[in-house]
Structure formats: structure tokens, C-alpha cells
């Protein structure tokens, strides 16, 4: 187990390229299970713990995978799926593994998938996925911690999500591609990663319309083809560096990202007093001497992303005045507040809302990363804090950020990874 050792305060300055998006790469890899012949080549796959875990899930199902992390390329041959089961041992490590339910059901007519684990962001049910497949006439059974879904072909229908679900929408796209009849998803997630998945499936031969809007339609096709596809840049990683620049009076330019994917985040940074300049695929943020306070509410895309809430809270800790941060996607996603308080932050949480009274400066301390995004927020807070901090449990951060400490060091931070 490793820890990060940080000596602050830092002033992040320089240019950096964001890696490929984890939350697009994972579902695209799951989508490759629908391809019965040939090798799918996926490029710009970030070298992360979650990618390695997901490769193990796909291999357990019988897919042949080769992965070159240096080149960020994954090759998947799903010609012979030998198992329809995604076991607990792998699923408990990462909730996104539930994404294999749709492809395995569509390919094999039966899927047995353990109920997921991963980041503990409250209860995180999978009822939308299950109800949607039941509406497509799959028979669903829940037994000993597993969901068993049977049905081939699935039947297209109009599926209503109670609220937009990111992986729920992606799972359903896979179920719908080979279904009998057209599927319409109402209240679909509009996230850029969902658009990326739909682009990939369409390039492979699917007929999906409306991705990026709340209504998606899927016309069934007979097969998908093996293709080469490049995953988009990671908006959440990019957003992390940009928030870091804003809160350390820094000046950072991030490339490899579509600025529209971060519109809400950039607006909020501007409201706090940062200067933002975007061009095609590049965003530059310059932080003021001290940020002002912020009111923000997380919301499904295009709203403010829940995944960057912890980073914004870290920024609010040392802003002038009082900030209000309301979480509406995962209502109890506030595990970072305890750690931020250890650095001296003044934060009160009541129900799903945090009130942050900005203080002049944080003080370094021993803290830990409770999950991927909370870990990133805490790391930024340690950068801005005066003195030495140690961040434990960085394996959570490694699930979603490739060598975060090296990237931050390249921007001028005094941060290193050390074995415990
Ligand atoms: N929900 C249900 N029932 C369901 C599915 C979702 O009630 O069957 C609720 C959730 O509890 C939550 C809301 O709907 O309150 C939205 O959840 P969603 O399904 O959109 O989340 P997810 O698909 O499980 C993905 C990302 C998360 C990210 C969320 C929100 C991946 C692999 N995961 O999760 O990313 O926070 O969308 O944008 O794409 C991360 O990368 O660190 C991460 C946690």
C-alpha cells in the first residue's frame, strides 16, 4: 500500500494532457462483448486499476484480451464466450462490472451477474437496470447475491428511467442492439461518456439515435462488427487539474478534452473568480489570489458533475465567504468532509447539503482517500494546505487517476508516492 506525501502550499502551473476517459473506456470494453467475430481495438484506454479489474471480468467470461498500458490500447476478441457469470470476487471490486449484464444477456440469452461493489456512495441500487431488462421481457431472478437474467431475444419497448442513470443507459443500449423491435429510452443519461458509447456502437454497426439527449432510440441490427475506436478524453481528470489551478492561484492548460463537457464546472470556477479560456480541445484556468465562495448543486449532465463535487468543496474551504454545496446525485457523497476537517476546514453537513465557511488557509495533516473522487479532492486540499500532509489509501485514487502524483508534480507540486 502506498501513500502520497505532499508539502504545500503548491501553485499549479503548466500544461498537461488528460488521459482517456475511464467511464467511457469501461462501457466500450463491455460493448465489445457484443462482437461475435474479430478483434475490437480500443485506443486511449487509461492505465488504471479499474481497467485491469474489468479486463479480469471480461477474461472470466471467455473474452481474449491483450492490453498494452504503455500504448493505452486494449484488444478484445469476444468470439467464444465460455461463461455467462460475472463472479462476486471481481464484481465487489468495481461497480461498473455490472455493465456486462446487458452484453452477456444479449449474446448468450442468460447472464448471472453478482450484485456490484465498488465505491461506497450510499446504497447505489441497480433496480433501473433490472426493471428495464424485465420490461424487455427478460426473466429476472435474484438469488444468493446474484442477478440472473434470461431471455433471447429481448423485446424492444419504451423504457422509462425514474431519473437518468449513466451505466443504466449504457447497459440498456447493449440489450437493445439485438432486441426484437425498436427500443426507446426516456429520461436517458446525457453524459458525454454515453455519447461515446453510442458512437462506438454505431461505428460497429448499431443504429442508435439521440445519444446526448434524454430520448434515445435503438433500431435493432443483426450483428456488430469488430472495429478500431478511440476513447474520448477524461473530463473528470481534466476538471480536477483545472480546479487545482483555480484554488492554488495557479495557471494550467489542459488539452485532449472537449470544453463543452466541462461547461458547468468552468462557469462555476468563473463565478469564484478564476479566469477561463477555452479553445478547441484545450482549456486554460488561471486562479486569482483567493477564490470567492460558490453555490452549487450537483445534477446529471449537463448539470454540475457529482464526481467533481469533492474537488470544488476543497476549493471552497479556502475561498472567501460561505459556500453552499448540495448533492442530488448521490445524496450522501460527503465522505471527504471528515478528511477536509482534519486539514482545518470549517464544513457543516446537514442532509444532502454542505455549508463551507472559507478560512484563510488549511494546515497539512494525515488524511485518507475514501473513494476515487473524494481522494482527488483531498489531494487538492493538501496541495493548497501549508505544511506536510500524508494521504493514505491512495489505491482508491489509482482506480480513476493514472499517476496523479506525477502529473501534479509535473505542474510544480511537491508531492510523491511512498510505500507505507
Ligand atoms: N440509481 C438508482 N437505481 C439504479 C441506478 C441508479 O436508484 O438502478 C440512482 C443512483 O443511486 C444515483 C443516481 O441514480 O442516485 C445516478 O446513478 P447512476 O446510475 O447515473 O450512476 P452509475 O452509472 O452507477 C456512473 C459513474 C460514476 C458517477 C455516476 C454519476 C461509471 C462507471 N460510473 O455511475 O462514476 O459518479 O455515474 O455521474 O460510469 C467514478 O468514476 O468515480 C464514479 C463513481
Amino acid at each position: 500500500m502506498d501513500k502520497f506525501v505532499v508539502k504545500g502550499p503548491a501553485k499549479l502551473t503548466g500544461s498537461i494532457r488528460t488521459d482517456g476517459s475511464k467511464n467511457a473506456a469501461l462501457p466500450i470494453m463491455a460493448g465489445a462483448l457484443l462482437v461475435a467475430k474479430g478483434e475490437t481495438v480500443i485506443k486511449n484506454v487509461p492505465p488504471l486499476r479499474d481497467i485491469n479489474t474489468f479486463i479480469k471480468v471480461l477474461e472470466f467470461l471467455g473474452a481474449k484480451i491483450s492490453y498494452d498500458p504503455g500504448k493505452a490500447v486494449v484488444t478484445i476478441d469476444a468470439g467464444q464466450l465460455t461463461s455467462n457469470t460475472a463472479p462476486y470476487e471481481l464484481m465487489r471490486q468495481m461497480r461498473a462490472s455490472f455493465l456486462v449484464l446487458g452484453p452477456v444477456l444479449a449474446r448468450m440469452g442468460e447472464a448471472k451477474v453478482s450484485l456490484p461493489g465498488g465505491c461506497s456512495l450510499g446504497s447505489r441500487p441497480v433496480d433501473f437496470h433490472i426493471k428495464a431488462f424485465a420490461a424487455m421481457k427478460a426473466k429476472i431472478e435474484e438469488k444468493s447475491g446474484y442477478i440472473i437474467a434470461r431471455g433471447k431475444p429481448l423485446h424492444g419497448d419504451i423504457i422509462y428511467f425514474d431519473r437518468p442513470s449513466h451505466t443504466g443507459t449504457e447497459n440498456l443500449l447493449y440489450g437493445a442492439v439485438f432486441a426484437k423491435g425498436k427500443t426507446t429510452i426516456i429520461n436517458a443519461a446525457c453524459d458525454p461518456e454515453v455519447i461515446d458509447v453510442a458512437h462506438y456502437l454505431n461505428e460497429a454497426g448499431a443504429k442508435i439515435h439521440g445519444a446526448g439527449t434524454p430520448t434515445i432510440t435503438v433500431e435493432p441490427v443483426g450483428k456488430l462488427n469488430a472495429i478500431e475506436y478511440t476513447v474520448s478524453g477524461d473530463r473528470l481528470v481534466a476538471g480536477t487539474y483545472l480546479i487545482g489551478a483555480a484554488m492554488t492561484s495557479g495557471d494550467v492548460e489542459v488539452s485532449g478534452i472537449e470544453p463543452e463537457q466541462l461547461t458547468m464546472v468552468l462557469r462555476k470556477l468563473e463565478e469564484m473568480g478564476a479566469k477561463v479560456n477555452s479553445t478547441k480541445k484545450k482549456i486554460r484556468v488561471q486562479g486569482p489570489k483567493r477564490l470567492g465562495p460558490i453555490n452549487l448543486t450537483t445534477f446529471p449532465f449537463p448539470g454540475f458533475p457529482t464526481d467533481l463535487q469533492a474537488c470544488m468543496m476543497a476549493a471552497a474551504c479556502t475561498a472567501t465567504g460561505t459556500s453552499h454545496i448540495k448533492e442530488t446525485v448521490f445524496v450522501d457523497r460527503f465522505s471527504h468532509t471528515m478528511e477536509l476537517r482534519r486539514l482545518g476546514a470549517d464544513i457543516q453537513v446537514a442532509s444532502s447539503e454542505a455549508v463551507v465557511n472559507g478560512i484563510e488557509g488549511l494546515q497539512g495533516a494525515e488524511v485518507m482517500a475514501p473513494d476515487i473522487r473524494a481522494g482527488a479532492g483531498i489531494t487538492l486540499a493538501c496541495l493548497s494546505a501549508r505544511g506536510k500532509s500524508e494521504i493514505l489509501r491512495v489505491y482508491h485514487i489509482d482506480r480513476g487517476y493514472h499517476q496523479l502524483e506525477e502529473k501534479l508534480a509535473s505542474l510544480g507540486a511537491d508531492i510523491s508516492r511512498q510505500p507505507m
Side-chain angles (χ1 to χ4, degrees), residues 160-216:
Y160 293 85
F161 279 127
D162 290 2
R163 57 176 292 155
S165 166
H166 187 146
T167 50
T169 303
E170 292 160 347
N171 229 340
L172 199 48
L173 291 179
Y174 308 136
V177 163
F178 298 152
K180 193 164 175 228
K182 175 173 145 182
T183 302
T184 304
I185 310 173
I186 309 282
N187 211 8
C190 302
D191 300 76
E193 296 81 7
V194 174
I195 302 177
D196 216 5
V197 170
H199 277 163
Y200 157 66
L201 291 172
N202 282 343
E203 284 186 26
K207 292 187 180 158
I208 299 170
H209 306 281
T213 77
T215 304
I216 302 182

Side-chain angles (χ1 to χ4, degrees), residues 22-23 26 95-96 99 119 121 124-129 163-168 170 191 236 306-307 329-330 333 372-373:
K22 162 180 90 72
N23 288 350
L26 291 169
R95 182 187 160 80
L99 281 165
C119 290
L121 308 175
R124 296 188 79 183
V126 286
D127 54 324
F128 298 169
H129 304 238
R163 57 176 292 155
S165 166
H166 187 146
T167 50
E170 292 160 347
D191 300 76
L236 304 173
T306 172
D307 297 282
V329 179
F330 296 112
R333 193 175 203 175
I372 303 175
R373 310 297 169 189

